Structure formats: C-alpha cells, structure tokens
Amino acid sequence: MKFGKYIDEQARPDWRDKYLDYGQLKQYIKEAVAQLESGSDEAAFSPRTTSLSVAKNANNSPESNFFNKLELEVKKISEFTEKLVKQLRAQTKALQAKVTNDKDHQHNNDLMQEAQRLGDEFLSLEKYVNLNYLGFHKILKKHDKLMPHTPCRQFYITHLHQQPWVQGNYSDVLVHLSNIYSDLRGDTSGVKNEDSAQGFVRSTTKYWVRTQDATSVKHHILQHLPVFQFKKDDTKDENGPDNQLINSVYLDNSSMELYHGRLDKKPSALAIRIRWYGSPEPGDSVFVERKTHRESWKGEESVKDRITLPKAKIVDFLDGSYTLDMAIKEGRFKTDTDKETFKKFFQEVQQAVDSKQLRPMIRTQYNRAAFQVPFDATVRISLDTNLAMIKENTDGQPVGLLHRWYRDPNQPIPRTDITRFPHAVLEVKLSLPEGQVAPEWVTDLTESGFLTEVHKFSKFIHGTATLLPDMIAAVPYWIDDESVRPSMLQSAGYRDIHQAESSSNGDVAPLHPELVSKPRRRTGDPDNELTHPLLGDEPTLQLMPNRNDVVGIGGRREKKKGFLDWWFTSRPKAMRVSNTTPRTTPMRIEPKTFFANERTFLTWMHMAVTIGTIAAALLGFSGSAQRTDKPSYEGSDHTVEIIAAILLPVAILMCVYSLTVFIWRSKAISKKQVGYIDDPRGPLGLAGVVVLALTAILILEVLDFVAALKAHHK
C-alpha cells in the first residue's frame, strides 16, 4: 500500500485537514523531476551575491514550492499539536478539580469514563504525531531518491527533531491522569524506608516494548497503579514529567568475570554498580549496589543490597583508601542493626573490588517511569525509555590513577563507545503472598501484543556484549535479534579490507583487528560497511512479534490453530503434567540441537526406506512369481501385492511426515520460539500405523492360509 493511501485510511476523520498533505508534496516532486528532465530548471543557476536595493523575482519553481509547502506543513502540525495539548492540560486540570470536590464518590463511574476519554484522546494525538513524522521521513526520502543533485533529507530530519511536537515531553498529561485515577481508586501510601542499607527480594519479568507503544502501555498501567514520583511531598510542580533519569556504572575486570557469571547465571554471581538519580552527573551522594544471583529452582530468590556513600569518596572506596572506620564515622544510622548491615556490605564489596581487581566498565543511562503505590513494593512496574549504554574507563587504568570513577562529561563520546537500545524495557516486579497470582489487568497487558518477554534481559550484559566484543567469550541469546541488529551495527567499526587481507596471510588472525573508528561513510562499497564481530551476514532471531499480532489492551489474542499447530504444540492427555506453568521464555539453543534434529530426521528416513524397500521387493518377487507356471489356489494370486500396497503407503507417509517435522522444528529452533519442539504424537502415530499395517497383513495371511488348506483338501 502506498503511504498516501495509508495515511488517508489511518487519519482521524475530524482531523483530516490537519494531517501532512503528502499527495501535494509528492506532486511537487514529480513536477520538479519533469522540469529537470526537460532542461528548463531555472533554479539550477543561483548567483552567490545579492543586493539589498534590487528586488528579486519570485521563485515559483516546483522544487521551491515543495520546500515552502514543507515548511507550512511543519508549522501546521506543530500548531495543531500544541493546541490539543493545551486543551488536554486544561481538561485534566478541570477533571482533577471535579474529583477533589466529589468527596462522597457519587460520580466515580462518570469521572472514570471522562478520564478514560482524555487518555484515549492523548493516544490519538500521539498516533497523529507518529503518522505525520513518518510521512515527513517518507517524502524526504522520496525527494532525495528522485532528485539526488539537491539532497535535503538529513537537514530536514535534524530540523524536525528540533520541533516542539517531536522534541517536547508531554508526559505531564499522563501524570495528571495518574493522579486522577489514584484519587478515584482511593490509593493510600505505604511507609517510606529510609535505612541507609536496604534489602530487596522480588520476582522480576522483563519485556521489550516498541517505542511507539510506550504511551499505550503507560496509559493502561496508570489506570491501575499511580505514577511513582520521588519527593512528591516536596514539589508542587504539577506539570512534572513521569520519568526520572537513572545512571548506573557497572564494575568488572579485564577477564569480564562478573559479566560471564551473570550471563551463565552461576550461583552467587555478582553485579556491582554505582547508581545515581536525576541528573547526568552524580550529586553529593550515590548508591553502591550489589546484586547476587540465587538459584530459583532451589527455592532461593536473587537479592539486591545497597548502601549510600558520598560521591567524593567513591574513588577512595574503590582503591581501598577509604576504610570502614572512616565510613562509620561519617555515616548516620538509626539502629545498631543498620550499622551492622552497613559494615558487612561495605567490607564484602570492598573486598570483592580488591580481590577481583574491578573497575568501571559500562554505564547504562535511561529514563525510568515507575508505577506503584508510594513506598509499597507489592506490585511495581517500571518502564525504561531512551536506553543507552556507554563505555566507561576507555583507557583501562585503575581509578586511583585517573582520579575519576565515571566518564568525563565534558569529553565527546565517540560513536563506537555508545549504543542506543531501540526498544523500551518494561519490568514487572511482584512481591506477592505465596499462592497469589498476578492481577488480571497485568495479564491483559501481557496478552495485548505490546510486550515481548525477554527472559533474563540485562542492560549490563547487552551493553558489554555490544561495546566490548573483544573481551568476552560468550554472548546472550537476544544479541542476534533482527530488531536489535541495526543499533549494534551503529556502534561498530568499519571493516578495514587491507588489514583483514594481511591478517589472513598469517597463521592466526587477531579477534578484533578489523574494527576501526572512522567517521561514517556512505559509499555503497561492501568493504566499507559497518561490521560487528558478533553478528553474521543476516539475523537469525526474531523476538519481536509482527505488528499484526497486536490486539490492544483488553483484547484477547485468539490464535487460529491449524491441524499442524495442534498436532505439534498440544500435549496428549497422558503426557500432561498438572500444576505447571507453561514456559513463556525463549529456549536456550546450542549448536548440537540442530544436529540432533538432523539425526532424528535421518532415523525416520532410515525406517521409511527400510519399509519401502521391503514393499518394493515384494512387488518384484510377485511379478516374477506370476511369470512362472506354478499352480496356485483361489485367492493366492494377489496376496503379496496387497501386502506391498499396505507397506508402501506407510513408507511414503513416514517420509512426508519426517520431512514436515524436520522443517517445522528447524524453524522453531532457529527462532528460539517459546513452546515445545518435541513431537509427542509422531512416535505414537507411527506405532499405530505400523500396528494397523501388520494387523492387516496378519489377517491377510490367515485368510490366505485358510484358503490354502481348503484348496489342499479339495
């Protein structure tokens, strides 16, 4: 479908004249191309001087009309968006006043419906913005393709990024709605824990969310959980954003011990990081955190601990000159238990840093919107957007020599030192009583198609694998997903073909010599394309579902299963296990799994060929017997042919079935799709068919034997 028709179909009827006039812009491009081909392009000549006292003739060329129309369209969309946002802000403020005045909650249903309407209006506005933004990309790309002598796409894309309707953050509307829903639900706050040492035990499920779906996900969540705003009592800014900037600097050593431990989920694997909130640079104090992995199948839960330390003491803490006694003197503890917990954590982390020679390696930076009842962690959902991973301590020097534990913010970040993750990351954190299941609205969200569960996804692991590929020995399974691949290539270097050729002449080629940091070039030469040592020529994994599978919030995804889907994915009653939770995470696939699939296929084919050979031999022998003059009895002429006719279809059926299973299982393995990849019904079906065939042969032989006896007595 052409985009002009697509935008007409997707446009909201009462806003139709406010959308990008894609058809007119496309017509101007066609006229400009025709003028250029006819050789009558008067705008091709442009003098480099002008005069303030000499009037210029109006330039009415098609390309000039295109640029003028483009500017008018940008202005139209910007003004319309700003107008609607002002209306939404005024309406949410008025609704908030109504909710506050309705102390008896007599009109809760009406107020809830009004809040829902405002939320849907905001989602419609976001769809309007996205459609127009995509339209500008499409029309500019078409202009540069048809008129390569006057490229403008890069300039105008940068110009668009500066527009308020693209750059602006209107999340304060969602914060207003969150407060309204919270008041209507009657939410109450928990008790804030201000201990300097805090422990958390919770179960976490992580999902990827497309950026264009982030607002829809937020709107659904805030109808059930309020937006959590830190220091809410201290600020009166009602138009504040719904998110907070978070920076985390992760420590590791030259062998990437902590990375590999977390990747392999080894018992007691550590992750040590320094975290701060609210600003690109750390404030007066930061959190030192430690995450310890525990085996869930043993009934243990992973634990996160943290303490607060002054920013100025982090370098001394990491090199060991900031001792426990110094920290105790400067610390403030409410109880002796807090003090003992702090001492234990301080000593264990400092000892780990010293013994493992840990230093800052990777920083993660993102905006987090948290949803929970204040200071109540029973159900907490966080949505991380604008996720970036940055390489820290590029010189590899100890922090004591650098006198810094985080990257100098005044220095520019090279392209190869940063990667920007293309999706938002949603975490559902539950701390529920034993036996209690997640709320139904959470199930509605997970089945909406907006979320893709990525088991054990880690920002630290992804950033390390992307930015430090020459230092690691293993990678996570999601690394070759087709949606993640472009962001990884953007952080990679270019292939130096001369160096690659020279290294190929030696006995051993270094792992990472072909990656060099150069300015990005668009040459079309495959030798100058971006390359990454962890990526092949094509992606082999597709975790994100098709956009057609998105059914929306509240819609249940009804999968139409064909016979093959039912045959392969459903389990026979005899093989079903009660009280088990279906697996929802991608399988860990090893190379030997592909060979196991091939061996299974060859085993089936071997059996099919054996049965087919027997059937063919019987047919051959029966033909030879018919050419002899050996006497026969009634009914014996076609017995062998009938037996062969029974066995031959069985062999053909086995060949077709084994090939079908092999192809289906190969696709499932390559995609690491969720669900079973074994074949519980195939062996049972094969056994049934063979038993039926042998039974039929036995019956025929018995009848043949009886007929032979009768013939003999005659």
Side-chain angles (χ1 to χ4, degrees):
M1 180 186 296
K2 293 186 177 181
F3 187 77
K5 185 177 180 182
Y6 175 78
I7 199 172
D8 286 339
E9 291 183 356
Q10 296 294 322
R12 181 165 158 170
D14 53 332
W15 296 352
R16 189 168 299 276
D17 60 331
K18 303 299 181 182
Y19 285 83
L20 174 69
D21 193 352
Y22 188 85
Q24 184 61 59
L25 290 170
K26 186 177 178 181
Q27 181 62 33
Y28 283 143
I29 293 177
K30 290 181 179 180
E31 293 175 2
V33 172
Q35 186 183 64
L36 182 65
E37 291 176 350
S38 65
S40 59
D41 185 9
E42 298 178 357
F45 173 74
S46 177
R48 298 186 180 184
T49 60
T50 186
S51 174
L52 297 178
S53 61
V54 178
K56 299 293 187 297
N57 295 327
N59 187 355
N60 294 321
S61 66
E63 188 169 18
S64 178
N65 292 335
F66 171 81
F67 289 123
N68 292 334
K69 180 67 173 177
L70 201 64
E71 283 297 319
L72 291 175
E73 294 298 299
V74 171
K75 182 180 179 181
K76 177 183 71 176
I77 295 169
S78 179
E79 291 177 348
F80 182 69
T81 303
E82 192 64 29
K83 174 186 175 182
L84 286 182
V85 170
K86 288 181 179 179
Q87 291 178 358
L88 285 172
R89 284 171 174 162
Q91 291 173 357
T92 52
K93 187 175 181 180
L95 181 59
Q96 179 70 68
K98 292 180 181 179
V99 172
T100 303
N101 295 330
D102 187 28
K103 298 180 179 180
D104 297 333
H105 305 288
Q106 296 179 354
H107 305 90
N108 262 24
N109 292 334
D110 295 338
L111 296 175
M112 190 73 76
Q113 291 179 4
E114 178 66 14
Q116 179 70 42
R117 185 192 67 80
L118 293 177
D120 293 341
E121 192 80 1
F122 186 80
L123 294 180
S124 297
L125 177 59
E126 183 179 64
K127 181 180 179 181
Y128 164 83
V129 168
N130 282 328
L131 274 175
N132 287 292
Y133 187 64
L134 178 60
F136 279 113
H137 273 268
K138 292 280 188 180
I139 199 65
L140 290 170
K141 182 179 179 181
K142 182 178 290 292
H143 175 276
D144 285 8
K145 179 181 179 181
L146 298 178
M147 305 187 68
H149 63 290
T150 56
C152 65
R153 180 173 179 269
Q154 193 64 38
F155 167 78
Y156 263 93
I157 293 301
T158 303
H159 177 56
L160 279 177
H161 287 171
Q162 305 303 319
Q163 297 301 311
W165 58 280
V166 176
Q167 189 70 23
N169 185 0
Y170 304 125
S171 61
D172 58 282
V173 176
L174 294 180
V175 175
H176 277 300
L177 288 175
S178 173
N179 295 334
I180 292 170
Y181 280 116
S182 181
D183 291 342
L184 292 174
R185 289 192 304 266
D187 294 339
T188 57
S189 299
V191 179
K192 184 177 180 180
N193 183 2
E194 296 182 344
D195 296 343
S196 59
Q198 303 167 21
F200 304 93
V201 179
R202 58 168 70 100
S203 61
T204 302
T205 308
K206 298 185 179 182
Y207 304 88
W208 288 355
V209 182
R210 291 183 176 90
T211 303
Q212 60 265 39
D213 297 331
T215 302
S216 298
V217 171
K218 285 182 180 181
H219 182 229
H220 176 69
I221 297 173
L222 62 82
Q223 295 179 52
H224 305 277
L225 286 177
V227 175
F228 182 75
Q229 293 179 286
F230 295 90
K231 299 182 180 180
K232 185 176 179 180
D233 296 335
D234 299 333
T235 178
K236 302 300 180 182
D237 183 11
E238 297 182 354
N239 296 323
D242 64 344
N243 56 74
Q244 184 180 38
L245 181 65
I246 298 179
N247 283 269
S248 301
V249 175
Y250 287 85
L251 309 182
D252 213 329
N253 53 27
S254 57
S255 63
M256 307 305 296
E257 179 181 348
L258 271 58
Y259 165 86
H260 291 106
R262 300 292 296 184
L263 179 64
D264 297 335
K265 301 301 176 186
K266 296 179 180 178
S268 302
L270 297 178
I272 299 177
R273 67 191 180 195
I274 304 168
R275 171 173 285 189
W276 68 93
Y277 300 85
S279 61
E281 289 193 62
D284 295 335
S285 61
V286 296
F287 292 101
V288 179
E289 300 182 347
R290 177 186 60 185
K291 300 176 71 174
T292 306
H293 174 70
R294 305 293 186 192
E295 298 289 353
S296 58
W297 62 272
K298 294 182 179 179
E300 301 174 344
E301 295 289 345
S302 298
V303 178
K304 182 177 78 174
D305 305 291
R306 68 179 182 181
I307 61 173
T308 304
L309 289 180
K311 164 193 167 183
K313 300 296 183 181
I314 293 298
V315 172
D316 296 336
F317 170 75
L318 295 178
D319 65 15
S321 58
Y322 186 59
T323 63
L324 176 61
D325 294 336
M326 297 178 183
I328 293 295
K329 290 180 180 179
E330 298 176 359
R332 297 179 181 178
F333 310 98
K334 289 186 176 181
T335 64
D336 292 338
T337 303
D338 295 342
K339 185 176 181 180
E340 291 301 321
T341 304
F342 178 90
K343 290 171 62 176
K344 180 181 179 182
F345 180 91
F346 187 98
Q347 290 176 326
E348 290 176 351
V349 172
Q350 195 170 56
Q351 183 180 7
V353 171
D354 180 58
S355 61
K356 300 178 183 295
Q357 290 295 292
L358 303 180
R359 65 177 187 270
M361 298 295 288
I362 291 291
R363 183 200 298 195
T364 62
Q365 185 180 78
Y366 48 89
N367 293 93
R368 168 164 292 182
F371 302 86
Q372 72 173 107
V373 176
F375 314 116
D376 180 4
T378 303
V379 179
R380 181 177 183 236
I381 298 179
S382 62
L383 182 65
D384 300 336
T385 55
N386 299 326
L387 174 57
M389 296 83 162
I390 306 170
K391 191 187 301 184
E392 291 280 1
N393 192 9
T394 55
D395 296 332
Q397 298 293 331
V399 293
L401 296 178
L402 297 175
H403 302 290
R404 295 189 67 88
W405 57 271
Y406 62 95
R407 192 169 190 138
D408 187 354
N410 297 321
Q411 296 296 324
I413 302 177
R415 176 182 54 79
T416 54
D417 284 0
I418 184 172
T419 181
R420 301 187 184 278
F421 195 67
H423 308 304
V425 178
L426 183 83
E427 296 185 34
V428 180
K429 303 174 182 179
L430 302 175
S431 180
L432 302 173
E434 186 175 357
Q436 184 175 340
V437 297
E440 184 178 357
W441 64 268
V442 176
T443 305
D444 291 339
L445 180 61
T446 57
E447 294 185 357
S448 65
F450 290 140
L451 310 184
T452 300
E453 182 176 352
V454 183
H455 184 59
K456 297 298 183 182
F457 174 75
S458 167
K459 306 177 187 72
F460 164 59
I461 289 177
H462 181 80
T464 303
T466 302
L467 299 176
L468 302 172
D470 54 337
M471 299 180 65
I472 59 177
V475 296
Y477 67 89
W478 65 78
I479 208 72
D480 201 30
D481 176 68
E482 63 178 6
S483 65
V484 175
R485 182 185 182 93
S487 65
M488 294 184 63
L489 288 175
Q490 184 63 28
S491 304
Y494 290 92
R495 179 174 179 82
D496 188 343
I497 189 65
H498 303 293
Q499 189 174 7
E501 290 177 351
S502 62
S503 63
S504 63
N505 296 329
D507 296 332
V508 179
L511 176 64
H512 196 54
E514 69 273 16
L515 296 186
V516 292
S517 179
K518 297 181 180 178
R520 185 164 186 175
R521 295 175 290 178
R522 298 176 180 267
T523 62
D525 185 355
D527 294 335
N528 290 328
E529 294 297 325
L530 294 168
T531 59
H532 196 285
L534 302 183
L535 301 179
D537 294 333
E538 297 293 336
T540 60
L541 184 62
Q542 182 182 0
L543 293 176
M544 300 295 286
N546 192 287
R547 290 291 297 173
N548 296 330
D549 294 334
V550 177
V551 297
I553 303 297
R556 296 290 181 176
R557 193 180 306 172
E558 297 181 0
K559 295 182 179 179
K560 296 182 179 180
K561 289 189 175 182
F563 175 76
L564 290 179
D565 293 328
W566 170 82
W567 181 267
F568 288 126
T569 59
S570 59
R571 316 299 291 176
K573 290 183 178 180
M575 302 181 64
R576 294 176 185 173
V577 182
S578 59
N579 299 326
T580 59
T581 303
R583 183 183 180 95
T584 59
T585 58
M587 307 289 288
R588 179 175 179 177
I589 303 300
E590 298 180 357
K592 63 182 181 181
T593 308
F594 293 92
F595 298 113
N597 185 33
E598 293 178 3
R599 287 195 301 270
T600 304
F601 170 66
L602 294 176
T603 302
W604 278 71
M605 289 296 296
H606 179 268
M607 182 63 68
V609 169
T610 301
I611 296 176
T613 302
I614 295 173
L618 289 175
L619 288 175
F621 288 134
S622 67
S624 300
Q626 290 176 358
R627 290 191 294 270
T628 64
D629 296 332
K630 183 178 179 180
S632 62
Y633 51 86
E634 183 181 357
S636 66
D637 293 341
H638 302 289
T639 302
V640 176
E641 288 91 337
I642 293 175
I643 294 175
I646 293 174
L647 293 179
L648 199 57
V650 173
I652 295 174
L653 177 64
M654 290 180 62
C655 290
V656 174
Y657 181 79
S658 61
L659 180 61
T660 303
V661 174
F662 174 74
I663 295 174
W664 169 80
R665 186 177 286 131
S666 297
K667 292 180 179 178
I669 292 173
S670 62
K671 293 181 179 180
K672 298 183 177 67
Q673 74 178 28
V674 176
Y676 300 102
I677 60 173
D678 60 334
D679 181 17
R681 288 189 169 85
L684 298 177
L686 172 63
V689 170
V690 172
V691 168
L692 290 176
L694 295 178
T695 302
I697 293 172
L698 177 62
I699 293 174
L700 285 174
E701 286 297 327
V702 170
L703 294 176
D704 187 53
F705 180 72
V706 171
L709 289 178
K710 290 180 179 180
H712 178 71
H713 289 297
K714 290 180 179 181

